[in-house]
Amino acid sequence: MGVTLYSLTDEDVLDTWFSSAIFPFAALGWPHPTDDLREFYPGSVLETGSDLIFFWVARMVMFGQELTGQLPFPQVLFHSMVRDSHGRKMSKSLGNVIDPLDVINGASAQYLHQKLGSILLDAREMRVAEEGQKRDFPYGIPECGTDALRFSLCSTPSQDTDLRLDVAAVLAARHFCNKVWNSVKFTLSSVTPDFQPRPPREIRPLSAIDRWVCSRLHVAVTLSDRGFHSNDLSTVTRAVHSFWLHDLCDVYLECVKPVLRAAADGDPDGSQANTVRQILVACTDQGLRLLSPFMPFLTEELWQRLPSSPSSSPPAPSVCVSAFPQLSSLPGCHSEREEKDFRQVQDVVKVVRNLRADYHLTTGRPEVYIRCSDSVRRSLSQFLEPLCVLSRSASVRFLSPGSVPPSHSVSAPVSDQCTVYLQGLSDPRVETQTLVRKRQRLQQQLHRLLNVTTATAYQQKVPENVRQQHTEKIRCLRIRCLRAELLGVDQRLSASGSIPDSSNTA
């Protein structure tokens, strides 16, 4: 291939396609042998859309090979094509173009309407665009921030051909940012000014819940490392999101609050509280480093506030250039046993919370009794305090084989080897009437929806996705009606002094 360059100094020569072809090396000072060209060329990975394979990627490869003798990059990562929340290609005539700056900074409905009016469209296209904009953004676009938008885009698997950009998903990512901020705020409030954090490898967890959260951090680092090596960013975002939200915030922070509260009240045995503080700071530090590639602004602000560890080497000036978490820095943290046992704890907590919601025990703290096999009892015994905290119970006790559950209690099966009993209900007769009224309301909703789905020409007039939503809602309403009926049976048995059988609860 022979290439002749004419008037490289003429700005009119470098059109879009030609400038994109030489961009990987021209941006680094080519044709002069600059330091940047020697240091950064060739690159490692090109990330782009699949629609630019022949427009940009092929040109870059050919020009790079011809003019420099090297391929500009050995790998190409194709991201999904960004579409609107309905899967349609963004088009000005449809009024569904989403400006990233509007998602980052927020935009009122009036501003979006004015922005649409500045586009040259005929009358018919303008009506379609206005109707689409009012339908998708009736109240405008809320302010979500750069980090939330980036995290939401990276959370979509790159193997998918289409990425449906839903502002609601970006807003959920912003709420996740708030969760991270509040958890770091809690961690910083739990340490004293003279606190000196230790490296993760030097921390020795004392309790089972401490070992569990360290193991979950180990899993997050493992999945992140695997995702980055395979260029699967969605795997990394899921791992980091799960660790921060479900492991650290929803579980560990709640479980250690009584320990830190006791230490603040002058508990003479402060070893447990000191260990908890070390684990909190270590998990926060490592978690911010994992999150940094996707949320650099939030993590930088929070990471700079963490207490620094005394060491011979100076600390990194920024989280962006700090050492990324490695498995070698977390020796002995993975504990499959604790993770397996705690999954059973979470199953029990879920059943207890469902019973509390069904019987309107949202404010009280009932007593929990568990009848289970010896193996399940050994698993739950080491997590009794976290189990009590997460289920918001007054106490948790085990029932011996053959013992009678407490009177006026309700039960629900956790598994074939475990059943949970709750004591502390209000008057069963009152609850029975409440459940009867609830079942009547559900039956009315079900009856109205069945009338809609059995109407004439329903299959022809209603879109398939809406029909699927109706089918799922009918299924859920039937399950809720049956559950309310069975719970009413339990209440009537309680009112008569009988013990509800675990099979009576759906």
Side-chain angles (χ1 to χ4, degrees):
M1 170 183 172
V3 178
T4 303
L5 304 179
Y6 297 97
S7 303
L8 282 178
T9 58
D10 190 347
E11 296 180 356
D12 296 334
V13 174
L14 293 180
D15 62 0
T16 301
W17 309 123
F18 190 85
S19 62
S20 65
I22 66 174
F23 177 79
F25 44 88
L28 300 175
W30 181 88
H32 305 290
T34 63
D35 294 337
D36 288 343
L37 188 64
R38 287 189 294 268
E39 180 71 20
F40 300 109
Y41 186 84
S44 56
V45 179
L46 173 70
E47 189 269 344
T48 185
S50 58
D51 58 334
L52 298 177
I53 294 178
F54 298 105
F55 292 108
W56 285 1
V57 179
R59 286 179 167 87
M60 289 179 178
V61 171
M62 292 187 291
F63 275 61
Q65 184 69 32
E66 177 67 21
L67 299 180
T68 68
Q70 293 178 292
L71 291 174
F73 32 77
Q75 291 182 323
V76 181
L77 175 62
F78 294 113
H79 62 69
S80 304
M81 300 305 299
V82 180
R83 300 182 181 273
D84 68 1
S85 58
H86 306 287
R88 302 173 301 177
K89 184 178 179 180
M90 292 190 185
S91 171
K92 294 180 180 179
S93 60
L94 293 176
N96 63 342
V97 177
I98 302 177
D99 189 340
L101 293 178
D102 292 340
V103 181
I104 293 172
N105 301 318
S108 64
Q110 181 180 2
Y111 173 79
L112 293 177
H113 180 71
Q114 294 174 353
K115 195 173 183 179
L116 185 62
S118 63
I119 303 175
L120 297 178
L121 299 175
D122 58 39
R124 185 187 64 83
E125 290 178 335
M126 180 60 71
R127 286 196 301 270
V128 173
E130 288 178 348
E131 292 175 358
Q133 189 180 84
K134 291 179 180 178
R135 181 175 59 254
D136 293 339
F137 310 111
Y139 307 105
I141 300 177
E143 180 182 355
C144 298
T146 308
D147 285 344
L149 177 60
R150 183 188 295 105
F151 189 85
S152 179
L153 293 175
C154 292
S155 299
T156 302
S158 58
Q159 292 80 8
D160 294 351
T161 56
D162 293 332
L163 188 160
R164 299 191 178 190
L165 180 57
D166 189 356
V167 176
V170 185
L171 186 61
R174 192 192 77 172
H175 295 159
F176 171 62
C177 294
N178 294 339
K179 196 79 171 182
V180 173
W181 181 281
N182 289 331
S183 66
V184 177
K185 182 180 178 181
F186 172 81
T187 300
L188 294 177
S189 66
S190 65
V191 300
T192 57
D194 58 346
F195 176 81
Q196 294 184 349
R198 296 197 300 267
R201 64 170 60 91
E202 298 180 5
I203 300 176
R204 298 294 178 264
L206 297 179
S207 64
I209 193 66
D210 294 340
R211 293 190 294 272
W212 174 82
V213 75
C214 291
S215 183
R216 296 306 301 165
L217 175 61
H218 187 280
V219 171
V221 173
T222 302
L223 294 177
S224 298
D225 183 69
R226 186 182 305 165
F228 277 126
H229 278 89
S230 60
N231 294 323
D232 187 2
L233 299 183
S234 61
T235 296
V236 185
T237 55
R238 284 197 304 269
V240 178
H241 182 271
S242 178
F243 171 73
W244 271 102
L245 190 62
H246 303 300
D247 300 333
L248 189 60
C249 295
D250 290 349
V251 175
Y252 188 69
L253 262 63
E254 297 299 324
C255 292
V256 300
K257 284 180 180 179
V259 178
L260 297 175
R261 192 179 303 116
D265 293 339
D267 186 1
D269 184 15
S271 57
Q272 177 64 30
N274 292 332
T275 302
V276 165
R277 295 188 186 98
Q278 292 289 345
I279 293 176
L280 273 177
V281 174
C283 288
T284 301
D285 174 50
Q286 299 294 304
L288 290 176
R289 298 185 193 210
L290 290 173
L291 192 58
S292 176
F294 309 100
M295 295 184 174
F297 297 106
L298 174 69
T299 54
E300 186 67 40
E301 176 70 24
L302 296 176
W303 193 76
Q304 294 291 345
R305 304 185 183 196
L306 295 180
S308 58
S309 175
S311 59
S312 56
S313 59
S318 170
V319 67
C320 297
V321 294
S322 62
F324 197 75
Q326 301 291 332
L327 295 180
S328 57
S329 62
L330 303 171
C333 285
H334 186 55
S335 178
E336 184 63 29
R337 177 184 175 184
E338 260 74 18
E339 292 202 38
K340 181 180 179 181
D341 292 344
F342 196 74
R343 281 193 289 269
Q344 295 183 341
V345 174
Q346 291 175 311
D347 292 340
V348 173
V349 170
K350 182 179 179 180
V351 172
V352 172
R353 289 180 174 178
N354 289 339
L355 283 175
R356 290 170 59 91
D358 291 335
Y359 292 103
H360 310 288
L361 295 172
T362 55
T363 57
R365 290 184 174 270
E367 296 181 354
V368 176
Y369 296 85
I370 302 175
R371 172 177 286 166
C372 57
S373 62
D374 292 340
S375 60
V376 176
R377 182 168 184 168
R378 284 192 296 269
S379 300
L380 300 179
S381 296
Q382 58 180 337
F383 291 104
L384 273 185
E385 186 173 350
L387 176 57
C388 188
V389 172
L390 296 176
S391 62
R392 298 186 69 248
S393 305
S395 63
V396 177
R397 299 183 180 91
F398 291 101
L399 294 175
S400 59
S403 61
V404 178
S407 59
H408 291 170
S409 64
V410 293
S411 65
V414 180
S415 65
D416 296 339
Q417 301 179 342
C418 182
T419 303
V420 170
Y421 299 86
L422 258 67
Q423 187 185 37
L425 296 173
S426 57
D427 188 352
R429 295 177 179 82
V430 177
E431 295 294 337
T432 301
Q433 296 301 321
T434 302
L435 289 169
V436 169
R437 290 192 297 269
K438 178 179 179 181
R439 182 169 177 267
Q440 291 174 349
R441 289 196 302 269
L442 292 173
Q443 287 178 330
Q444 292 174 358
Q445 297 178 21
L446 178 61
H447 182 69
R448 287 195 297 267
L449 190 55
L450 288 174
N451 289 337
V452 172
T453 56
T454 56
T456 306
Y458 171 79
Q459 296 291 335
Q460 291 75 24
K461 293 183 178 180
V462 180
E464 181 181 358
N465 62 327
V466 178
R467 295 201 305 268
Q468 292 177 352
Q469 294 176 3
H470 288 170
T471 302
E472 179 63 21
K473 189 172 183 179
I474 289 173
R475 187 186 70 85
C476 293
L477 285 173
R478 283 173 172 166
I479 292 176
R480 293 175 64 187
C481 287
L482 178 61
R483 184 176 180 83
E485 181 179 0
L486 295 178
L487 290 174
V489 173
D490 277 358
Q491 286 291 355
R492 288 192 293 272
L493 291 174
S494 296
S496 63
S498 303
I499 301 301
D501 184 77
S502 60
S503 61
N504 286 337
T505 304

